[in-house]
């Protein structure tokens, strides 16, 4: 299992024993995502995710095993398990993606229980943001207070229990915050690949905004004939390069995972006017079991889990200093 960020062991350690016993890769990634979604201390996925501009949490997720086997949901506001709902869309409908009220009606009909997603801690962080938007260039963001990556937020605000206050420039003082999208790739003992991707999206996003994470080919792509890739970071950038799809296509043409990730991040670097708070990172796993991760900027870490256990590691490379 190869998972984004340092919260990876929370999910991987729960799901991996079944994989070791011959379990299915899809079951593994869905199990891992579900555990992470349920953890209220992870403030960028599932319950406890940071809310949008109006203080309301909305979740996005997808699963995939092959071009003809994928499911996704977006703008889920009353259910805590978007990855399981995405899997149900894949298995119980002829569709790939359901959003908003329709997705929630579907979840209700399928027997999922409604849940409150906004925790007291997340509400307090949102209130701090709404009450002190100082230093924010509103013009640059077309009048909306900018949505920011959570890693920067950690340096900008004092999340309850999170230690000393800082500012955007001091974000690097928090090298391992619990943040951002979980993307999980797995290969099981029969060589089957699967992936899941789940997020509460960019903190304080414009209500209704959907990023890359639930979009097949952007936050996640899996093809048994080539490999799997997942993404985290600024969704609008990942979308612009169809990041996960691009990585899998490069692997299909023979690139090792590390080269596929590097070429994709190079394209991001060349084609976007990058702001200081833009981050993009990818994990890639090819059909031979070779894997790599790469990030645009420092700060990203991945979790790798195999028969030797889980390790939280720096990415294979970082493109920009
Ligand atoms: N990619 C996610 C989104 O744009 C957020 C993140 O991974 O930081 O919604």
């Amino acid at each position: 299992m190869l998972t984004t960020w340092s919260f990876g062991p929370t999910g991987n350690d729960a799901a991996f024993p079944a994989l070791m016993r011959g379990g299915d890769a899809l079951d593994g990634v869905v199990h891992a995502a579900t555990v992470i979604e349920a953890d209220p201390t992870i403030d960028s996925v599932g319950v406890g995710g940071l809310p949008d501009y109006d203080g309301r949490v909305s979740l996005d997720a997808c699963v995939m095993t092959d071009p003809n086997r994928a499911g996704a949901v977006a703008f889920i506001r009353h259910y805590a398990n978007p990855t399981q709902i995405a899997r149900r869309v894949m298995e119980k409908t002829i569709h790939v993606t359901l959003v908003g009220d329709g997705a929630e009606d579907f979840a209700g009909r399928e027997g999922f229980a409604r849940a409150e997603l906004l925790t007291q801690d997340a509400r307090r962080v949102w209130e701090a943001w709404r009450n002190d938007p100082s230093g924010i260039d509103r013009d640059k963001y077309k009048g909306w207070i900018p949505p920011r990556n959570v890693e920067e937020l950690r340096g900008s605000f004092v999340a309850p229990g999170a230690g000393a206050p800082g500012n955007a420039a001091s974000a690097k003082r928090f090298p391992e915050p619990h943040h951002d999208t979980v993307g999980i790739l797995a290969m099981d003992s029969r060589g089957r690949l699967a992936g899941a991707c789940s997020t509460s999206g960019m903190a304080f996003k414009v209500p209704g905004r959907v990023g890359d994470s639930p979009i097949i080919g952007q936050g996640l792509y899996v093809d048994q004939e080539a490999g799997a890739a997942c993404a985290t970071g600024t969704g609008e950038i990942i979308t612009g390069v169809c990041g996960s799809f691009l990585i899998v296509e490069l692997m299909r043409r023979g690139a090792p995972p590390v080269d596929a990730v590097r070429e994709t991040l190079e394209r991001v670097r060349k084609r976007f006017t990058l702001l200081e708070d833009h981050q993009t990172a990818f994990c890639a796993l090819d059909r031979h079991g070779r894997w790599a991760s790469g990030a645009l900027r420092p700060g990203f870490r991945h979790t790798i889990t195999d028969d030797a256990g889980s390790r939280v590691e720096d990415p294979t490379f970082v493109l920009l200093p």
Side-chain angles (χ1 to χ4, degrees):
M1 300 181 83
L2 178 61
T3 299
T4 55
W5 301 110
S6 50
F7 51 56
T10 302
N12 289 13
D13 289 350
F16 198 73
L19 284 182
M20 287 290 280
R21 293 193 299 270
D24 181 77
L26 179 64
D27 291 337
V29 297
V30 172
H31 186 176
T34 301
V35 171
I36 289 173
E37 286 163 351
D39 186 334
T41 68
I42 296 172
D43 60 13
S44 53
V45 181
V47 174
L50 291 175
D52 65 15
Y53 180 90
D54 288 331
R56 296 195 290 188
V57 180
S58 59
L59 306 179
D60 307 325
C62 68
V63 297
M64 186 170 194
T65 66
D66 233 358
N68 65 358
R69 197 161 174 249
V73 289
F75 205 60
I76 295 286
R77 295 193 303 171
H78 304 98
Y79 292 87
N81 315 112
T83 303
Q84 288 188 19
I85 302 171
R87 180 179 186 166
R88 205 65 72 86
V89 172
M90 177 177 87
E91 292 176 340
K92 292 277 202 82
T93 78
I94 57 169
H95 308 302
V96 171
T97 307
L98 297 180
V99 303
D101 289 347
E104 297 213 329
D105 287 350
F106 171 78
R109 286 177 191 171
E110 285 294 313
F112 288 91
R114 286 168 74 92
E116 173 59 58
L117 304 179
L118 184 66
T119 60
Q120 291 293 344
D121 281 357
R123 173 186 284 280
R124 268 185 241 131
V125 175
W126 173 75
E127 281 170 356
W129 173 77
R130 283 302 290 258
N131 293 336
D132 184 21
S134 57
I136 290 170
D137 180 352
R138 286 165 182 257
D139 292 339
K140 192 163 76 178
Y141 290 91
K142 301 183 181 164
W144 289 85
I145 296 172
R148 297 173 141 196
N149 269 355
V150 182
E151 66 235 51
E152 181 185 6
L153 248 185
R154 280 290 181 187
S156 302
F157 301 102
V158 193
N167 53 44
S170 70
K172 289 185 178 61
R173 288 195 291 134
F174 302 89
E176 278 193 67
H178 289 287
H179 56 64
D180 291 7
T181 298
V182 65
I184 307 162
L185 309 177
M187 177 180 274
D188 65 27
S189 58
R190 290 169 56 185
R192 291 172 299 203
L193 293 166
C197 189
S198 180
T199 193
S200 54
M202 206 178 265
F204 318 138
K205 59 196 173 187
V206 175
R209 178 262 190 192
V210 172
D212 61 300
S213 305
I215 309 297
I216 299 302
Q218 299 180 9
L220 178 70
Y221 198 73
V222 184
D223 185 332
Q224 303 295 327
E225 294 182 357
C230 62
T232 181
T234 312
E236 286 68 10
I237 291 178
I238 297 160
T239 293
V241 296
C242 280
S244 295
F245 180 75
L246 177 57
I247 289 170
V248 172
E249 289 312 292
L250 291 166
M251 293 194 295
R252 189 194 306 280
R253 282 158 176 70
V258 65
D259 292 352
V261 173
R262 190 181 294 279
E263 183 166 341
T264 302
L265 284 171
E266 282 289 3
R267 190 170 303 184
V268 166
R269 188 176 63 80
K270 283 190 199 123
R271 301 302 301 272
F272 284 84
T273 304
L274 293 172
L275 305 177
E276 228 177 278
D277 57 340
H278 284 153
Q279 169 66 302
T280 307
F282 296 102
C283 292
L285 171 63
D286 75 9
R287 68 189 175 91
H288 308 293
R290 298 179 299 179
W291 59 270
S293 77
L296 192 62
R297 300 183 189 285
F300 173 73
R301 306 196 88 199
H302 67 239
T303 300
I304 181 78
T305 304
D306 55 23
D307 47 10
S310 284
R311 280 97 60 206
V312 177
E313 300 174 339
D314 287 334
T316 313
F317 70 92
V318 177
L319 200 67
L320 303 173

